[in-house]
Amino acid sequence: MTSPIGKTVLYSYWRSSCTWRVRIALNLKEIPYEIKPVSLIKAGGEQHSNEYREINPMEQVPALHIDGATLIESLNILQYLEETRPHRPLMPNDCIKRAKVREICEVIASSIQPLQNLTVLIMVGEEKKDEWAKHWIKRGFKAVEKLLASSAGKYCVGDEITIADCCLVPQVFNARRFHVDLRPYPIILRIDRELENHPAFRAAHPSNQPDCPPEAVK
Amino acid sequence: MTSPIGKTVLYSYWRSSCTWRVRIALNLKEIPYEIKPVSLIKAGGEQHSNEYREINPMEQVPALHIDGATLIESLNILQYLEETRPHRPLMPNDCIKRAKVREICEVIASSIQPLQNLTVLIMVGEEKKDEWAKHWIKRGFKAVEKLLASSAGKYCVGDEITIADCCLVPQVFNARRFHVDLRPYPIILRIDRELENHPAFRAAHPSNQPDCPPEAVK
């Protein structure tokens, strides 16, 4: 699973929302990258192999090999891409607006996704897992909707796509997987609809990944 | 709970590890601030009041009123302080080192703290909550220790204090609250010891907060 310096390699799982965030940003910034699929379900999860643990000690995707380094944690990777590839910016210039972008990212990345990811749901147990996931997604989306009410333009913050949009769209997909009623969140729904056919978002979609099983393609 | 533009106000709870991160950074950067205590336990939690929900729709601490805006989410606030108050820097200049700082922050802020915070433990239930919290802290610390093995100098990343240290010290305190055996994490322990008597960390400690109940002061 090592890769030569110079080639950008994304350790990815088709349905991982955290990896999806990074795929969108790489596509938007037109950074060429190779995907190395890591199956989170095959043989108890390839992310727990000794080989992959050397790449990401959290035993999760994504990990990105870039510029001779291996980076983990999706928001960190998004920020690294922004710092090193400022063309096609995904952050506003204004400091308060930048903070508003990070607020939305952090609510999703700290208070929604970690509570409904696969590892946690296994601990919660088969019987309770759907209600558990729904509860945290609804709680988080209520707050995100409120934040968007004062920050959104065409997208999450103003009229340009930012890393907040890279986080929102995959979380909406997860919400649908858990059958969350999205009608109480009209701004979230509007932004999701705005972006669903954007080529960079489309190409990053789970159903367009090389490791997406044929039966999951809609 | 409103405050005039110009005054920096931190909505804080003495034992909140997320707020503690921000208190450390404010102290290190010598930014004067006023504390408005928000009790997370009194009357079912003041963070759920209508008044506070207007300040932070996530109904959590911290929130920071600064520069005429109200910001939420602790990592976001730390990054805002760094962008707007670059004196006494809490981030390295080198982009890869910056990424290494954010990795440690994000493991703690996304994969440890959210799984052992009060709101989640209430959902987990009295009987299982201690084992649950321990499980996620140990899993996260194992990864943090591994990251530190290649990044740490005197502190988390190199020999200067960064926002990673602002996140690590409060999480070690939480680990002790849940009686996690910390001996498997010697680098974490060494850095925590290095910082425990630093004046900025000391002043931010729960036991030095105005809302710390007298019986909790050690």
mmCIF file with all atom_site columns, all heavy atoms in Angstrom, chain B residues 190-201:
data_model
loop_
_atom_site.group_PDB
_atom_site.id
_atom_site.type_symbol
_atom_site.label_atom_id
_atom_site.label_alt_id
_atom_site.label_comp_id
_atom_site.label_asym_id
_atom_site.label_entity_id
_atom_site.label_seq_id
_atom_site.pdbx_PDB_ins_code
_atom_site.Cartn_x
_atom_site.Cartn_y
_atom_site.Cartn_z
_atom_site.occupancy
_atom_site.B_iso_or_equiv
_atom_site.pdbx_formal_charge
_atom_site.auth_seq_id
_atom_site.auth_comp_id
_atom_site.auth_asym_id
_atom_site.auth_atom_id
_atom_site.pdbx_PDB_model_num
ATOM 1   N N   . ARG B 1 190 ? 3.868  12.270 29.110 1.00 0.00 ? 190 ARG B N   1
ATOM 2   C CA  . ARG B 1 190 ? 5.011  13.177 29.243 1.00 0.00 ? 190 ARG B CA  1
ATOM 3   C C   . ARG B 1 190 ? 4.606  14.601 28.854 1.00 0.00 ? 190 ARG B C   1
ATOM 4   O O   . ARG B 1 190 ? 4.941  15.567 29.539 1.00 0.00 ? 190 ARG B O   1
ATOM 5   C CB  . ARG B 1 190 ? 6.173  12.690 28.355 1.00 0.00 ? 190 ARG B CB  1
ATOM 6   C CG  . ARG B 1 190 ? 7.352  13.648 28.345 1.00 0.00 ? 190 ARG B CG  1
ATOM 7   C CD  . ARG B 1 190 ? 8.521  13.165 27.524 1.00 0.00 ? 190 ARG B CD  1
ATOM 8   N NE  . ARG B 1 190 ? 8.277  13.020 26.097 1.00 0.00 ? 190 ARG B NE  1
ATOM 9   C CZ  . ARG B 1 190 ? 8.094  14.027 25.230 1.00 0.00 ? 190 ARG B CZ  1
ATOM 10  N NH1 . ARG B 1 190 ? 8.088  15.277 25.663 1.00 0.00 ? 190 ARG B NH1 1
ATOM 11  N NH2 . ARG B 1 190 ? 7.899  13.797 23.946 1.00 0.00 ? 190 ARG B NH2 1
ATOM 12  N N   . ILE B 1 191 ? 3.878  14.747 27.762 1.00 0.00 ? 191 ILE B N   1
ATOM 13  C CA  . ILE B 1 191 ? 3.468  16.087 27.311 1.00 0.00 ? 191 ILE B CA  1
ATOM 14  C C   . ILE B 1 191 ? 2.502  16.706 28.322 1.00 0.00 ? 191 ILE B C   1
ATOM 15  O O   . ILE B 1 191 ? 2.594  17.891 28.645 1.00 0.00 ? 191 ILE B O   1
ATOM 16  C CB  . ILE B 1 191 ? 2.854  16.029 25.887 1.00 0.00 ? 191 ILE B CB  1
ATOM 17  C CG1 . ILE B 1 191 ? 3.941  15.607 24.889 1.00 0.00 ? 191 ILE B CG1 1
ATOM 18  C CG2 . ILE B 1 191 ? 2.246  17.369 25.498 1.00 0.00 ? 191 ILE B CG2 1
ATOM 19  C CD1 . ILE B 1 191 ? 3.426  15.231 23.501 1.00 0.00 ? 191 ILE B CD1 1
ATOM 20  N N   . ASP B 1 192 ? 1.580  15.898 28.836 1.00 0.00 ? 192 ASP B N   1
ATOM 21  C CA  . ASP B 1 192 ? 0.643  16.400 29.842 1.00 0.00 ? 192 ASP B CA  1
ATOM 22  C C   . ASP B 1 192 ? 1.399  16.912 31.070 1.00 0.00 ? 192 ASP B C   1
ATOM 23  O O   . ASP B 1 192 ? 1.092  17.993 31.590 1.00 0.00 ? 192 ASP B O   1
ATOM 24  C CB  . ASP B 1 192 ? -0.337 15.287 30.227 1.00 0.00 ? 192 ASP B CB  1
ATOM 25  C CG  . ASP B 1 192 ? -1.376 15.764 31.230 1.00 0.00 ? 192 ASP B CG  1
ATOM 26  O OD1 . ASP B 1 192 ? -2.180 16.648 30.852 1.00 0.00 ? 192 ASP B OD1 1
ATOM 27  O OD2 . ASP B 1 192 ? -1.371 15.287 32.373 1.00 0.00 ? 192 ASP B OD2 1
ATOM 28  N N   . ARG B 1 193 ? 2.395  16.162 31.498 1.00 0.00 ? 193 ARG B N   1
ATOM 29  C CA  . ARG B 1 193 ? 3.197  16.585 32.676 1.00 0.00 ? 193 ARG B CA  1
ATOM 30  C C   . ARG B 1 193 ? 3.969  17.861 32.384 1.00 0.00 ? 193 ARG B C   1
ATOM 31  O O   . ARG B 1 193 ? 4.078  18.744 33.223 1.00 0.00 ? 193 ARG B O   1
ATOM 32  C CB  . ARG B 1 193 ? 4.185  15.476 33.058 1.00 0.00 ? 193 ARG B CB  1
ATOM 33  C CG  . ARG B 1 193 ? 3.775  14.708 34.310 1.00 0.00 ? 193 ARG B CG  1
ATOM 34  C CD  . ARG B 1 193 ? 4.904  13.864 34.857 1.00 0.00 ? 193 ARG B CD  1
ATOM 35  N NE  . ARG B 1 193 ? 5.582  13.076 33.817 1.00 0.00 ? 193 ARG B NE  1
ATOM 36  C CZ  . ARG B 1 193 ? 5.224  11.824 33.478 1.00 0.00 ? 193 ARG B CZ  1
ATOM 37  N NH1 . ARG B 1 193 ? 4.234  11.213 34.085 1.00 0.00 ? 193 ARG B NH1 1
ATOM 38  N NH2 . ARG B 1 193 ? 5.879  11.190 32.531 1.00 0.00 ? 193 ARG B NH2 1
ATOM 39  N N   . GLU B 1 194 ? 4.484  17.933 31.152 1.00 0.00 ? 194 GLU B N   1
ATOM 40  C CA  . GLU B 1 194 ? 5.242  19.119 30.715 1.00 0.00 ? 194 GLU B CA  1
ATOM 41  C C   . GLU B 1 194 ? 4.387  20.382 30.823 1.00 0.00 ? 194 GLU B C   1
ATOM 42  O O   . GLU B 1 194 ? 4.884  21.455 31.126 1.00 0.00 ? 194 GLU B O   1
ATOM 43  C CB  . GLU B 1 194 ? 5.647  18.885 29.250 1.00 0.00 ? 194 GLU B CB  1
ATOM 44  C CG  . GLU B 1 194 ? 6.663  19.814 28.669 1.00 0.00 ? 194 GLU B CG  1
ATOM 45  C CD  . GLU B 1 194 ? 8.059  19.563 29.243 1.00 0.00 ? 194 GLU B CD  1
ATOM 46  O OE1 . GLU B 1 194 ? 8.596  18.446 29.073 1.00 0.00 ? 194 GLU B OE1 1
ATOM 47  O OE2 . GLU B 1 194 ? 8.581  20.508 29.873 1.00 0.00 ? 194 GLU B OE2 1
ATOM 48  N N   . LEU B 1 195 ? 3.076  20.223 30.561 1.00 0.00 ? 195 LEU B N   1
ATOM 49  C CA  . LEU B 1 195 ? 2.218  21.407 30.458 1.00 0.00 ? 195 LEU B CA  1
ATOM 50  C C   . LEU B 1 195 ? 1.391  21.693 31.702 1.00 0.00 ? 195 LEU B C   1
ATOM 51  O O   . LEU B 1 195 ? 0.816  22.779 31.831 1.00 0.00 ? 195 LEU B O   1
ATOM 52  C CB  . LEU B 1 195 ? 1.288  21.254 29.244 1.00 0.00 ? 195 LEU B CB  1
ATOM 53  C CG  . LEU B 1 195 ? 2.006  21.388 27.889 1.00 0.00 ? 195 LEU B CG  1
ATOM 54  C CD1 . LEU B 1 195 ? 1.122  20.865 26.769 1.00 0.00 ? 195 LEU B CD1 1
ATOM 55  C CD2 . LEU B 1 195 ? 2.402  22.843 27.615 1.00 0.00 ? 195 LEU B CD2 1
ATOM 56  N N   . GLU B 1 196 ? 1.346  20.751 32.646 1.00 0.00 ? 196 GLU B N   1
ATOM 57  C CA  . GLU B 1 196 ? 0.379  20.922 33.743 1.00 0.00 ? 196 GLU B CA  1
ATOM 58  C C   . GLU B 1 196 ? 0.640  22.158 34.600 1.00 0.00 ? 196 GLU B C   1
ATOM 59  O O   . GLU B 1 196 ? -0.282 22.728 35.157 1.00 0.00 ? 196 GLU B O   1
ATOM 60  C CB  . GLU B 1 196 ? 0.259  19.647 34.608 1.00 0.00 ? 196 GLU B CB  1
ATOM 61  C CG  . GLU B 1 196 ? 1.488  19.319 35.416 1.00 0.00 ? 196 GLU B CG  1
ATOM 62  C CD  . GLU B 1 196 ? 1.346  18.010 36.210 1.00 0.00 ? 196 GLU B CD  1
ATOM 63  O OE1 . GLU B 1 196 ? 0.221  17.504 36.347 1.00 0.00 ? 196 GLU B OE1 1
ATOM 64  O OE2 . GLU B 1 196 ? 2.381  17.494 36.665 1.00 0.00 ? 196 GLU B OE2 1
ATOM 65  N N   . ASN B 1 197 ? 1.895  22.592 34.664 1.00 0.00 ? 197 ASN B N   1
ATOM 66  C CA  . ASN B 1 197 ? 2.169  23.776 35.468 1.00 0.00 ? 197 ASN B CA  1
ATOM 67  C C   . ASN B 1 197 ? 2.415  25.046 34.657 1.00 0.00 ? 197 ASN B C   1
ATOM 68  O O   . ASN B 1 197 ? 2.803  26.071 35.205 1.00 0.00 ? 197 ASN B O   1
ATOM 69  C CB  . ASN B 1 197 ? 3.347  23.505 36.407 1.00 0.00 ? 197 ASN B CB  1
ATOM 70  C CG  . ASN B 1 197 ? 2.938  22.514 37.485 1.00 0.00 ? 197 ASN B CG  1
ATOM 71  O OD1 . ASN B 1 197 ? 1.844  22.604 38.050 1.00 0.00 ? 197 ASN B OD1 1
ATOM 72  N ND2 . ASN B 1 197 ? 3.788  21.524 37.740 1.00 0.00 ? 197 ASN B ND2 1
ATOM 73  N N   . HIS B 1 198 ? 2.198  24.947 33.354 1.00 0.00 ? 198 HIS B N   1
ATOM 74  C CA  . HIS B 1 198 ? 2.313  26.152 32.518 1.00 0.00 ? 198 HIS B CA  1
ATOM 75  C C   . HIS B 1 198 ? 1.202  27.127 32.939 1.00 0.00 ? 198 HIS B C   1
ATOM 76  O O   . HIS B 1 198 ? 0.041  26.733 33.053 1.00 0.00 ? 198 HIS B O   1
ATOM 77  C CB  . HIS B 1 198 ? 2.148  25.741 31.055 1.00 0.00 ? 198 HIS B CB  1
ATOM 78  C CG  . HIS B 1 198 ? 2.406  26.852 30.095 1.00 0.00 ? 198 HIS B CG  1
ATOM 79  N ND1 . HIS B 1 198 ? 1.615  27.981 30.021 1.00 0.00 ? 198 HIS B ND1 1
ATOM 80  C CD2 . HIS B 1 198 ? 3.380  27.043 29.171 1.00 0.00 ? 198 HIS B CD2 1
ATOM 81  C CE1 . HIS B 1 198 ? 2.084  28.793 29.091 1.00 0.00 ? 198 HIS B CE1 1
ATOM 82  N NE2 . HIS B 1 198 ? 3.155  28.239 28.568 1.00 0.00 ? 198 HIS B NE2 1
ATOM 83  N N   . PRO B 1 199 ? 1.547  28.397 33.178 1.00 0.00 ? 199 PRO B N   1
ATOM 84  C CA  . PRO B 1 199 ? 0.529  29.339 33.696 1.00 0.00 ? 199 PRO B CA  1
ATOM 85  C C   . PRO B 1 199 ? -0.746 29.431 32.857 1.00 0.00 ? 199 PRO B C   1
ATOM 86  O O   . PRO B 1 199 ? -1.846 29.492 33.420 1.00 0.00 ? 199 PRO B O   1
ATOM 87  C CB  . PRO B 1 199 ? 1.266  30.688 33.705 1.00 0.00 ? 199 PRO B CB  1
ATOM 88  C CG  . PRO B 1 199 ? 2.727  30.343 33.686 1.00 0.00 ? 199 PRO B CG  1
ATOM 89  C CD  . PRO B 1 199 ? 2.872  29.013 33.026 1.00 0.00 ? 199 PRO B CD  1
ATOM 90  N N   . ALA B 1 200 ? -0.612 29.406 31.522 1.00 0.00 ? 200 ALA B N   1
ATOM 91  C CA  . ALA B 1 200 ? -1.811 29.526 30.668 1.00 0.00 ? 200 ALA B CA  1
ATOM 92  C C   . ALA B 1 200 ? -2.704 28.294 30.789 1.00 0.00 ? 200 ALA B C   1
ATOM 93  O O   . ALA B 1 200 ? -3.937 28.397 30.744 1.00 0.00 ? 200 ALA B O   1
ATOM 94  C CB  . ALA B 1 200 ? -1.390 29.724 29.206 1.00 0.00 ? 200 ALA B CB  1
ATOM 95  N N   . PHE B 1 201 ? -2.091 27.135 30.940 1.00 0.00 ? 201 PHE B N   1
ATOM 96  C CA  . PHE B 1 201 ? -2.849 25.888 31.106 1.00 0.00 ? 201 PHE B CA  1
ATOM 97  C C   . PHE B 1 201 ? -3.440 25.809 32.506 1.00 0.00 ? 201 PHE B C   1
ATOM 98  O O   . PHE B 1 201 ? -4.589 25.392 32.700 1.00 0.00 ? 201 PHE B O   1
ATOM 99  C CB  . PHE B 1 201 ? -1.948 24.670 30.824 1.00 0.00 ? 201 PHE B CB  1
ATOM 100 C CG  . PHE B 1 201 ? -1.667 24.447 29.361 1.00 0.00 ? 201 PHE B CG  1
ATOM 101 C CD1 . PHE B 1 201 ? -0.790 25.283 28.680 1.00 0.00 ? 201 PHE B CD1 1
ATOM 102 C CD2 . PHE B 1 201 ? -2.285 23.429 28.661 1.00 0.00 ? 201 PHE B CD2 1
ATOM 103 C CE1 . PHE B 1 201 ? -0.539 25.098 27.323 1.00 0.00 ? 201 PHE B CE1 1
ATOM 104 C CE2 . PHE B 1 201 ? -2.039 23.230 27.305 1.00 0.00 ? 201 PHE B CE2 1
ATOM 105 C CZ  . PHE B 1 201 ? -1.169 24.065 26.632 1.00 0.00 ? 201 PHE B CZ  1
#
